[in-house]
Amino acid sequence: MSKRTGRKEIIKPKRLSPGDTLGIVAPAGQVDSAALHRGVLRLEQLGFKVVLGRHVEKAHRYFAGTDRERADDLQSMFESGVDAIVCARGGSGAARILPFLSPERIARHPKILVGCSDITTLLLYFSRSFGWAVFHGPMVATQFGKESNRLSEENFVRILGGEKVEMVFPQVEILRPGTAEGVLIGGCLTLICTSIGTAYEIETDGKIVFIEDTDEAPYRIDRMLSHLKGLGKFDRVKGIVFGQMPRCQPERLPEIILEILEEFSFPIFFGFPSGHGDALATLPFGIHARIDSATASMRIEESAVC
């Protein structure tokens, strides 16, 4: 379903309902089978049916199968009868499968696609190529396969079910106050940077940009943010929301962020739990959102599905 809201047309996938079928794919790194099956069990306990891709548990070097096998699983899920596609984990290698996809065939089957970390590449690709709403959210092995978290699961179900959700998390720090409204986009900082110069390069003008990462030294975060700034990627953003940045020495990052972005006036949040870290929030990219420092909140202003 397409919708016009005074901006570029966005194509929204069909909403997810109890009893619907989730297709599980592993487009990137090799998957731990035990964690995968714990995650599958948890999704079934939440009321969903689950179908695994043929190659999900394969291994090729540090990938979940060869590039073609991983691409075939993703392609098949789009052309199958599953209602939504959830990635098993991130890692690395998602960009390698793009040449093996058939975009003209996938474009006929818009579906919910959920993932984070290295899956940022696919989220940006499908958002930019097809104008789809896509979802930065928990994955089967790395989030659902660990100790279940009621709030994470609740947000997942509510967002994919079409609710307009206001998310307030007490750990979020306001680095610069203010309010902002705009279309939400973003993902893992490393993958945002590697999108530059590709056909799926991130578009930030007029957007609220979500940025997160893990296991990166502060000097590398500094370098990547400076790179994006030099490219003008922050010149016309409405606001920036940073994730929790685990194992990036997050206590040092606010000072670095404010120094790099000192000439801008947009609001900046830090510590929002999506992706690496607590993974409490499922964020719909391509959908209108509002951030407000007075309540340290992000509100999804429209249904992300149809």
Side-chain angles (χ1 to χ4, degrees):
M1 177 179 177
S2 301
K3 183 174 183 180
R4 293 186 180 276
T5 57
R7 63 176 192 266
K8 186 185 294 185
E9 188 174 28
I10 185 74
I11 297 174
K12 298 181 178 182
K14 182 177 75 73
R15 73 184 58 235
L16 193 64
S17 301
D20 282 351
T21 301
L22 306 179
I24 311 304
V25 296
Q30 186 177 339
V31 181
D32 178 271
S33 290
L36 172 68
H37 289 283
R38 285 195 300 270
V40 168
L41 176 61
R42 186 59 194 149
L43 289 168
E44 290 173 339
Q45 291 170 341
L46 291 173
F48 301 109
K49 301 170 186 174
V50 177
V51 175
L52 293 180
R54 289 177 54 218
H55 306 292
V56 166
E57 296 184 78
K58 285 193 173 181
H60 173 72
R61 207 173 301 132
Y62 30 79
F63 305 123
T66 66
D67 296 343
R68 187 171 292 280
E69 286 172 335
R70 302 191 323 275
D72 285 349
D73 271 4
L74 184 59
Q75 182 83 36
S76 296
M77 286 299 182
F78 276 112
E79 297 183 280
S80 76
V82 304
D83 300 291
I85 300 169
V86 184
C87 295
R89 65 155 296 180
S92 65
R96 292 179 53 138
I97 75 171
L98 296 180
F100 299 99
L101 298 177
S102 298
E104 64 284 347
R105 285 161 48 197
I106 289 177
R108 296 196 289 267
H109 306 281
K111 292 182 180 180
I112 288 170
L113 175 66
V114 187
C116 60
S117 188
D118 195 62
I119 308 305
T120 294
T121 294
L122 298 181
L123 300 182
L124 294 176
Y125 173 79
F126 286 110
S127 175
R128 184 77 186 263
S129 298
F130 306 139
W132 289 2
V134 292
F135 300 85
H136 186 273
M139 298 185 288
V140 183
T142 49
Q143 278 88 32
F144 288 107
K146 296 183 178 180
E147 184 177 351
S148 62
N149 184 292
R150 181 196 58 79
L151 186 54
S152 176
E153 294 168 352
E154 179 183 294
N155 280 330
F156 177 85
V157 170
R158 292 179 68 192
I159 290 289
L160 300 185
E163 292 190 38
K164 302 174 186 178
V165 176
E166 183 167 27
M167 292 174 276
V168 181
F169 302 105
Q171 66 268 47
V172 173
E173 181 181 355
I174 305 303
L175 301 190
R176 183 182 295 135
T179 61
E181 296 187 26
V183 171
L184 190 60
I185 195 65
C188 181
L189 177 59
T190 303
L191 281 305
I192 288 173
C193 287
T194 58
S195 78
I196 303 302
T198 70
Y200 51 91
E201 178 175 326
I202 189 170
E203 296 178 300
T204 58
D205 287 1
K207 305 291 199 303
I208 294 174
V209 182
F210 175 74
I211 295 174
E212 63 100 34
D213 216 318
T214 188
D215 294 291
E216 294 287 355
Y219 79 89
R220 290 178 59 84
I221 301 293
D222 187 317
R223 178 190 295 157
M224 289 186 280
L225 291 176
S226 296
H227 178 58
L228 293 174
K229 177 183 174 181
L231 292 169
K233 290 296 182 181
F234 301 135
D235 288 354
R236 287 174 289 279
V237 306
K238 296 292 188 178
I240 299 181
V241 177
F242 285 89
Q244 292 178 313
M245 315 296 277
R247 297 179 297 282
C248 296
Q249 299 180 46
E251 70 282 356
R252 298 182 59 190
L253 295 181
E255 179 183 5
I256 293 169
I257 290 166
L258 287 173
E259 188 173 270
I260 293 171
L261 302 177
E262 63 180 345
E263 69 262 45
F264 302 108
S265 59
F266 49 71
I268 304 173
F269 289 14
F270 185 86
F272 199 88
S274 182
H276 297 107
D278 291 336
L280 301 179
T282 297
L283 300 180
F285 290 166
I287 298 301
H288 196 87
R290 183 177 190 271
I291 58 174
D292 185 346
S293 65
T295 52
S297 64
M298 177 189 293
R299 177 172 172 80
I300 307 304
E301 295 282 281
E302 60 177 311
S303 175
V305 291
C306 62

